[in-house]
Amino acid sequence: MEEPQVKLVKTLARHRLSNTAARTTVFTALLEHGPVTLAELIRYCEASIDRASVYRTTALFESIGVVQRLQIGWKYRLELSDDFQHHHHHLHCLSCGTVTAMPEDPALENRLKAAAKAKGFLPQDHQVEIRGLCANCQAA
């Protein structure tokens, strides 16, 4: 897989956009911390850029496919799309709210594709969220 930062520059160029400091800051924060809430993303970026820049950059990234929203219950989190990281699924703790990425499982991916195909469905993408209690909340 191509380096994420290189892929970002190419994606921006393809949309006739430049790679600004604000875009680099938001992208780096997502690369290091995702999936995150918008409030968390603003906090991670606040030393370098203002809140409005985070909002604008996030909206732009979502419109060109750099960022995707993960629907977690009634809320959402933001993370880089599968174009910028390996496909994965999520574990969501119902007690503390922590969202943890699970590594891609080729066997699971094949079963999901087969289940869709059996119903005559051609999937474009998918998200799997497993809800429960994390180890810390189980111990508490």
Side-chain angles (χ1 to χ4, degrees), residues 60-71:
L60 172 72
F61 280 179
E62 196 170 3
S63 73
I64 64 173
V66 173
V67 167
Q68 64 187 6
R69 286 183 190 219
L70 300 174
Q71 288 303 134

Side-chain angles (χ1 to χ4, degrees), residues 54-91:
V54 175
Y55 279 110
R56 282 191 305 272
T57 302
T58 302
L60 172 72
F61 280 179
E62 196 170 3
S63 73
I64 64 173
V66 173
V67 167
Q68 64 187 6
R69 286 183 190 219
L70 300 174
Q71 288 303 134
I72 305 290
W74 294 101
K75 299 178 181 181
Y76 69 90
R77 290 182 181 251
L78 301 166
E79 75 173 358
L80 295 175
S81 69
D82 290 346
D83 289 342
F84 295 90
Q85 60 183 349
H86 292 288
H87 178 74
H88 60 276
H89 301 292
H90 301 91
L91 302 171

Side-chain angles (χ1 to χ4, degrees), residues 104-117:
E104 183 176 12
D105 179 345
L108 174 61
E109 295 303 316
N110 290 335
R111 291 190 65 191
L112 291 171
K113 287 176 188 172
K117 184 178 180 180

Side-chain angles (χ1 to χ4, degrees), residues 112-134:
L112 291 171
K113 287 176 188 172
K117 184 178 180 180
K119 295 292 184 181
F121 191 79
L122 179 62
Q124 300 300 308
D125 66 9
H126 67 274
Q127 297 178 18
V128 174
E129 172 195 0
I130 300 174
R131 293 179 302 275
L133 297 176
C134 69

